[in-house]
Amino acid sequence: MDIALALEIEQVSRQKALEEEALRGESAVRQFYAGTTALITGGTGFIGKQLIEKLLRSCDVKRIYILMRSKKGKSMPERLQSQFNEPVYDNLRSQQPDFARKVIPVEGDISELGVGLNDEDRMKLAQEVNVIFHVAATTRFEEPLKKATFINVRGTREILELAKCCKDLRSFVHVSTAFSNATKSRINHNLEEKIYESPVPPEVMINLAKTVEECRLNAITADLIRDWPNTYCFTKAIAEDVVRTMGKDLPVVIVRPPIVICTLNEPTPGWVDMSSVIGPSGVLLTLMLGVMHVVLTSDISIPIVPVDYVNNAVIATASDTNVRYNKNEKEIKVYNISCSGSKIETSCMSDFLKNPNTLEYATPKAVWYCYGFGTGSDVVFWLSTWLLHYIPAYVADFVFNVTSMKRPEGIKSFVKLYEKIYKMSMLYGYFLRNQWNFVDDNTVAMLNQMSKTDRILFNFDVAKIDCSRFMAIWCIGLRKFILKDGLKNSEYGRKKQSWLKIANLCYHGLFFVTVIYFLYICCAMLMYVFR
């Protein structure tokens, strides 16, 4: 059996044994959700997909409404059916073949007033919904401020207005981001589990977005966001203030996940979808393929968390918030999901950069030798990008254009590919080179007060993750769900790396000789001219 497939099977067996034992115990979280009706915004996104799966598989909910709309020529039922055919629902489908009957799409748009609901749907949701998970957001760092405001700020206001109309609302979970207050002035400082002062009053920002022309708003965006790195973090910070002001008399909680990546355990190890390729998973993927060799990062600790751990925390906070609200504890709590001092993410990435060719990582689809290093210097990164990325890309494109050689699958132009990689590196460079200390006292306290059964069924104890094993599962997930290499021929992939290593040495040797010869010719010409 292929060693990559064997590791996946072993991880599944471990988790299954734990869950089977835990299911014999009492679960306060499962009791809270039994028979409830939930509304999820952002249910078609990466976090939302796994949240739906977990609620249906583990929580015995009565019904889940998903706010969605027709898109790209597909009706809502067609989009939902297409989503349910994805691998994340395979285990659920085998256990509950008719699970889809519990999920009902509701036509709406989080960027619109009233979230785009018609009167009939609005009344139905107000009568039936017990728990709201507000996950929807635009996460594009370069999103124009007008659109980011309508989705992230006004959308939060509108969904809270709906929450106020619900007859039996037991919990409202607002999924924010750990980087909502990761400003330049707070670098190397603590980010507390509290709602910080909004950079701009929410209603002022919404009115600006409504009344100012987009071109003018884009022109003043840099001055408006000032201390924030992008419109995403800026508008998520304002959205938290919307929750603070509008959620005072509601069972509301804010959950701040950091960088969210593949699953560790549930529903299957390493699950990731294409939407996650823009970000750290994309960086790792290009390293695995031998396409990327230099990473814009410093030796810092920035938490990256598996999506199943994020959703376990989201599900648990809803239950905990309901308990506190019923005790008349109406303070809006904030939960930072971080690593409690663990350097999971630094260990993971450095493990790959130091030893990329272990059997678990080696995919037979690699196009070049896998090696790489990290640097926090803009100058070193720029020079290394030209030497290790752009120049080889121009050479490769020239060779493929003048010969009949077949290009690697999915790559039409190496130069354009590296332009995308460079852009992605610069967008994430702010977060990968700067340090913030994410305080997670509330999260740890909630975890510690959960029963043993709930800590297994809804585990979000990131500090206990085995970094090297997690790294292997992350790579296996990218191979299985993105590269689709079937987790086969890992041994061939390793041997291929040996051959590509020789080719890489030959290329760099030839390149070095060519540069020396070019410099020699230039010097000779200069000497001849000035002789």
Side-chain angles (χ1 to χ4, degrees), residues 4 27 49 82 102 111 137 155 167 169 214 240 303 306 334 356 372 408 438 460 517:
S27 168
K49 289 175 184 177
S82 177
K102 287 188 174 183
S111 67
K167 305 299 183 185
L169 183 69
E214 185 160 14
E240 289 187 3
V334 178
F438 299 93
F460 53 90
Y517 180 72

mmCIF file of all heavy atoms in Angstrom, residues 4 27 49 82 102 111 137 155 167 169 214 240 303 306 334 356 372 408 438 460 517:
data_model
loop_
_atom_site.group_PDB
_atom_site.id
_atom_site.type_symbol
_atom_site.label_atom_id
_atom_site.label_comp_id
_atom_site.label_asym_id
_atom_site.label_seq_id
_atom_site.Cartn_x
_atom_site.Cartn_y
_atom_site.Cartn_z
ATOM 1 N N ALA A 4 1.387 7.174 1.565
ATOM 2 C CA ALA A 4 0.489 8.321 1.749
ATOM 3 C C ALA A 4 -0.928 7.847 2.051
ATOM 4 O O ALA A 4 -1.606 8.366 2.950
ATOM 5 C CB ALA A 4 0.496 9.200 0.499
ATOM 6 N N SER A 27 -23.309 14.341 25.926
ATOM 7 C CA SER A 27 -22.797 15.520 25.222
ATOM 8 C C SER A 27 -23.770 16.676 25.375
ATOM 9 O O SER A 27 -24.876 16.650 24.809
ATOM 10 C CB SER A 27 -22.583 15.208 23.737
ATOM 11 O OG SER A 27 -22.348 16.398 23.011
ATOM 12 N N LYS A 49 -19.117 24.938 4.145
ATOM 13 C CA LYS A 49 -19.345 23.566 3.671
ATOM 14 C C LYS A 49 -19.085 22.553 4.779
ATOM 15 O O LYS A 49 -19.885 21.642 5.016
ATOM 16 C CB LYS A 49 -18.428 23.261 2.482
ATOM 17 C CG LYS A 49 -18.785 23.983 1.202
ATOM 18 C CD LYS A 49 -17.743 23.698 0.122
ATOM 19 C CE LYS A 49 -18.034 24.483 -1.144
ATOM 20 N NZ LYS A 49 -16.983 24.278 -2.179
ATOM 21 N N SER A 82 -24.819 20.411 -6.581
ATOM 22 C CA SER A 82 -23.416 20.350 -6.988
ATOM 23 C C SER A 82 -22.503 20.362 -5.771
ATOM 24 O O SER A 82 -21.505 19.626 -5.726
ATOM 25 C CB SER A 82 -23.100 21.535 -7.913
ATOM 26 O OG SER A 82 -21.742 21.547 -8.267
ATOM 27 N N LYS A 102 -32.677 17.782 4.759
ATOM 28 C CA LYS A 102 -32.637 18.673 5.919
ATOM 29 C C LYS A 102 -32.098 20.063 5.572
ATOM 30 O O LYS A 102 -32.170 20.975 6.397
ATOM 31 C CB LYS A 102 -31.755 18.071 7.028
ATOM 32 C CG LYS A 102 -32.365 16.886 7.757
ATOM 33 C CD LYS A 102 -31.487 16.509 8.950
ATOM 34 C CE LYS A 102 -32.112 15.432 9.800
ATOM 35 N NZ LYS A 102 -31.277 15.141 11.000
ATOM 36 N N SER A 111 -25.157 41.065 0.655
ATOM 37 C CA SER A 111 -24.758 42.447 0.366
ATOM 38 C C SER A 111 -25.957 43.377 0.177
ATOM 39 O O SER A 111 -25.788 44.591 0.069
ATOM 40 C CB SER A 111 -23.880 42.496 -0.888
ATOM 41 O OG SER A 111 -24.627 42.144 -2.040
ATOM 42 N N ALA A 137 -18.737 36.419 4.158
ATOM 43 C CA ALA A 137 -17.860 37.601 4.094
ATOM 44 C C ALA A 137 -17.110 37.557 2.780
ATOM 45 O O ALA A 137 -16.948 36.493 2.170
ATOM 46 C CB ALA A 137 -16.872 37.615 5.253
ATOM 47 N N GLY A 155 -23.922 43.828 5.657
ATOM 48 C CA GLY A 155 -24.450 42.465 5.716
ATOM 49 C C GLY A 155 -24.602 41.981 7.149
ATOM 50 O O GLY A 155 -25.579 41.311 7.496
ATOM 51 N N LYS A 167 -38.279 34.409 16.800
ATOM 52 C CA LYS A 167 -39.115 34.192 17.974
ATOM 53 C C LYS A 167 -38.408 33.385 19.058
ATOM 54 O O LYS A 167 -38.684 33.547 20.248
ATOM 55 C CB LYS A 167 -40.400 33.464 17.570
ATOM 56 C CG LYS A 167 -41.201 34.154 16.468
ATOM 57 C CD LYS A 167 -41.651 35.538 16.877
ATOM 58 C CE LYS A 167 -42.505 36.172 15.785
ATOM 59 N NZ LYS A 167 -42.871 37.576 16.114
ATOM 60 N N LEU A 169 -34.679 32.655 19.241
ATOM 61 C CA LEU A 169 -33.249 32.661 18.946
ATOM 62 C C LEU A 169 -32.470 32.253 20.191
ATOM 63 O O LEU A 169 -32.574 32.897 21.237
ATOM 64 C CB LEU A 169 -32.788 34.044 18.485
ATOM 65 C CG LEU A 169 -31.315 34.144 18.075
ATOM 66 C CD1 LEU A 169 -31.065 33.376 16.773
ATOM 67 C CD2 LEU A 169 -30.874 35.594 17.922
ATOM 68 N N GLU A 214 -17.791 55.052 -6.525
ATOM 69 C CA GLU A 214 -16.772 54.033 -6.265
ATOM 70 C C GLU A 214 -15.366 54.518 -6.614
ATOM 71 O O GLU A 214 -14.414 54.253 -5.887
ATOM 72 C CB GLU A 214 -17.088 52.754 -7.040
ATOM 73 C CG GLU A 214 -16.125 51.619 -6.713
ATOM 74 C CD GLU A 214 -16.663 50.250 -7.059
ATOM 75 O OE1 GLU A 214 -17.669 50.170 -7.796
ATOM 76 O OE2 GLU A 214 -16.076 49.266 -6.605
ATOM 77 N N GLU A 240 -17.395 43.992 13.728
ATOM 78 C CA GLU A 240 -17.439 43.599 15.144
ATOM 79 C C GLU A 240 -18.120 44.673 15.980
ATOM 80 O O GLU A 240 -18.815 44.370 16.963
ATOM 81 C CB GLU A 240 -16.031 43.317 15.665
ATOM 82 C CG GLU A 240 -15.422 42.039 15.103
ATOM 83 C CD GLU A 240 -14.093 41.688 15.768
ATOM 84 O OE1 GLU A 240 -13.679 42.414 16.711
ATOM 85 O OE2 GLU A 240 -13.470 40.698 15.350
ATOM 86 N N PRO A 303 -0.748 31.792 13.847
ATOM 87 C CA PRO A 303 -1.548 30.561 13.921
ATOM 88 C C PRO A 303 -2.271 30.236 12.635
ATOM 89 O O PRO A 303 -2.907 31.087 12.023
ATOM 90 C CB PRO A 303 -2.548 30.847 15.049
ATOM 91 C CG PRO A 303 -2.643 32.330 15.104
ATOM 92 C CD PRO A 303 -1.301 32.854 14.709
ATOM 93 N N PRO A 306 -6.736 24.038 11.437
ATOM 94 C CA PRO A 306 -7.567 23.201 10.562
ATOM 95 C C PRO A 306 -9.023 23.642 10.602
ATOM 96 O O PRO A 306 -9.541 24.023 11.655
ATOM 97 C CB PRO A 306 -7.407 21.792 11.162
ATOM 98 C CG PRO A 306 -6.189 21.855 12.017
ATOM 99 C CD PRO A 306 -6.082 23.258 12.499
ATOM 100 N N VAL A 334 -15.772 37.188 23.159
ATOM 101 C CA VAL A 334 -14.967 37.009 21.949
ATOM 102 C C VAL A 334 -14.031 35.836 22.177
ATOM 103 O O VAL A 334 -13.436 35.702 23.253
ATOM 104 C CB VAL A 334 -14.149 38.281 21.634
ATOM 105 C CG1 VAL A 334 -13.283 38.065 20.402
ATOM 106 C CG2 VAL A 334 -15.067 39.482 21.442
ATOM 107 N N PRO A 356 11.639 18.593 2.020
ATOM 108 C CA PRO A 356 10.431 18.512 1.198
ATOM 109 C C PRO A 356 10.185 17.173 0.534
ATOM 110 O O PRO A 356 9.118 16.940 0.001
ATOM 111 C CB PRO A 356 10.680 19.592 0.144
ATOM 112 C CG PRO A 356 12.159 19.604 -0.009
ATOM 113 C CD PRO A 356 12.715 19.327 1.362
ATOM 114 N N GLY A 372 13.223 24.985 -1.316
ATOM 115 C CA GLY A 372 12.792 26.349 -1.065
ATOM 116 C C GLY A 372 13.384 26.909 0.208
ATOM 117 O O GLY A 372 13.974 26.189 1.014
ATOM 118 N N PRO A 408 3.026 20.866 -18.740
ATOM 119 C CA PRO A 408 2.384 20.214 -17.585
ATOM 120 C C PRO A 408 0.908 20.590 -17.531
ATOM 121 O O PRO A 408 0.514 21.703 -17.893
ATOM 122 C CB PRO A 408 3.141 20.789 -16.386
ATOM 123 C CG PRO A 408 4.468 21.204 -16.939
ATOM 124 C CD PRO A 408 4.189 21.651 -18.340
ATOM 125 N N PHE A 438 -1.874 36.416 19.930
ATOM 126 C CA PHE A 438 -3.315 36.244 20.013
ATOM 127 C C PHE A 438 -3.694 35.609 21.350
ATOM 128 O O PHE A 438 -3.494 34.409 21.560
ATOM 129 C CB PHE A 438 -3.812 35.374 18.850
ATOM 130 C CG PHE A 438 -3.538 35.974 17.500
ATOM 131 C CD1 PHE A 438 -2.374 35.657 16.802
ATOM 132 C CD2 PHE A 438 -4.422 36.863 16.925
ATOM 133 C CE1 PHE A 438 -2.105 36.204 15.564
ATOM 134 C CE2 PHE A 438 -4.175 37.426 15.678
ATOM 135 C CZ PHE A 438 -3.012 37.101 14.995
ATOM 136 N N PHE A 460 -11.180 21.332 19.589
ATOM 137 C CA PHE A 460 -10.508 22.488 18.974
ATOM 138 C C PHE A 460 -9.255 22.862 19.757
ATOM 139 O O PHE A 460 -8.832 24.019 19.762
ATOM 140 C CB PHE A 460 -11.465 23.686 18.848
ATOM 141 C CG PHE A 460 -12.165 24.085 20.129
ATOM 142 C CD1 PHE A 460 -11.603 25.017 20.986
ATOM 143 C CD2 PHE A 460 -13.385 23.531 20.464
ATOM 144 C CE1 PHE A 460 -12.245 25.390 22.160
ATOM 145 C CE2 PHE A 460 -14.047 23.902 21.629
ATOM 146 C CZ PHE A 460 -13.478 24.831 22.475
ATOM 147 N N TYR A 517 30.161 33.844 -18.398
ATOM 148 C CA TYR A 517 30.621 34.086 -19.762
ATOM 149 C C TYR A 517 30.127 35.445 -20.265
ATOM 150 O O TYR A 517 30.865 36.189 -20.915
ATOM 151 C CB TYR A 517 30.119 32.968 -20.681
ATOM 152 C CG TYR A 517 30.545 33.124 -22.121
ATOM 153 C CD1 TYR A 517 31.877 32.900 -22.493
ATOM 154 C CD2 TYR A 517 29.628 33.498 -23.100
ATOM 155 C CE1 TYR A 517 32.281 33.057 -23.811
ATOM 156 C CE2 TYR A 517 30.034 33.654 -24.418
ATOM 157 C CZ TYR A 517 31.363 33.433 -24.763
ATOM 158 O OH TYR A 517 31.756 33.589 -26.073
#
